[in-house]
Amino acid sequence: MKTIVAYSSRTGNTERIALAMAGALPRDTVVKPIEEAGDLSAYDCVFLGFWIEGGTACEEAANVLRHLTNRHIFLFATLAADPESAHAIASMQNAKNLLPSDSFPKGTFLCRGAVSKETVRKMFEKYPFGNTETRILSECCLLSGSARHPNDEDLAKAETFARVMYQHLKDQ
């Protein structure tokens, strides 16, 4: 089964998850950033990774999702919030909703990721100190522990996800 792990990563978080997943997949699995992946329709199995921006997939991944019709699709994403939070779950659902109506992922994986200092700086420029949004964003991004992710446990979970999902395909 021809497999690719394609990803969009601004800070390296999603790339780390992509590489961990690829390590659990067959040796001939292709691993590339989205912009280098080319035509994904040539693959039987696509693991597509992205970072969450504005409650959905980043724009680069969203453009790919809108045209993804492969038989076996798996989505994974990184974000600053707790991956089990309502925001994280809704963000992945929003990303899934970008797929064509006849496509659906066979599995999804969410992982907390560190927020870049540049992103935090932009948040504070957009929302001045004392502003409610600044307080919420700073708590989410700085105090949540996202700076320590993805960690070894996250990478192990990503490997397990990829291994289990791929094995399930082979068993069918």
Side-chain angles (χ1 to χ4, degrees):
M1 184 174 346
K2 194 170 178 185
T3 304
I4 187 169
V5 179
Y7 63 90
S8 175
S9 187
R10 184 171 60 179
T11 62
N13 296 325
T14 310
E15 179 180 27
R16 290 182 66 204
I17 296 299
L19 293 172
M21 286 186 177
L25 296 169
R27 290 180 193 236
D28 62 347
T29 297
V30 175
V31 185
K32 291 189 174 185
I34 287 174
E35 66 271 11
E36 297 174 17
D39 183 9
L40 296 181
S41 68
Y43 296 91
D44 304 303
C45 183
V46 175
F47 284 77
L48 184 70
F50 47 87
W51 46 281
I52 297 295
E53 178 180 45
T56 190
C58 63
E59 187 172 339
E60 183 178 41
N63 291 334
V64 172
L65 284 166
R66 289 184 185 101
H67 305 286
L68 202 59
T69 59
N70 304 68
R71 184 168 177 212
H72 306 295
I73 300 169
F74 300 92
L75 303 180
F76 63 97
T78 58
L79 73 166
D82 179 343
E84 296 179 18
S85 69
H87 169 70
I89 293 165
S91 295
M92 180 58 82
Q93 184 59 52
N94 292 337
K96 288 169 30 177
N97 290 342
L98 295 170
L99 289 164
S101 61
D102 57 344
S103 294
F104 60 93
K106 295 193 177 215
T108 62
F109 180 83
L110 284 162
C111 180
R112 181 173 274 168
V115 177
S116 71
K117 290 179 183 177
E118 177 67 14
T119 299
V120 173
R121 184 187 63 73
K122 286 181 181 179
M123 283 188 240
F124 279 91
E125 285 176 0
K126 184 174 180 179
Y127 303 108
F129 186 75
N131 181 300
T132 302
E133 287 86 354
T134 301
R135 183 180 54 77
I136 292 168
L137 290 169
S138 65
E139 287 174 6
C140 174
C141 298
L142 302 175
L143 305 177
S144 69
S146 66
R148 296 184 298 274
H149 294 273
N151 59 27
D152 290 343
E153 182 180 348
D154 298 326
L155 299 176
K157 286 178 181 178
E159 289 175 6
T160 299
F161 170 80
R163 185 178 303 107
V164 168
M165 293 293 110
Y166 193 82
Q167 186 62 47
H168 181 70
L169 291 179
K170 285 177 53 179
D171 291 345
Q172 290 182 354

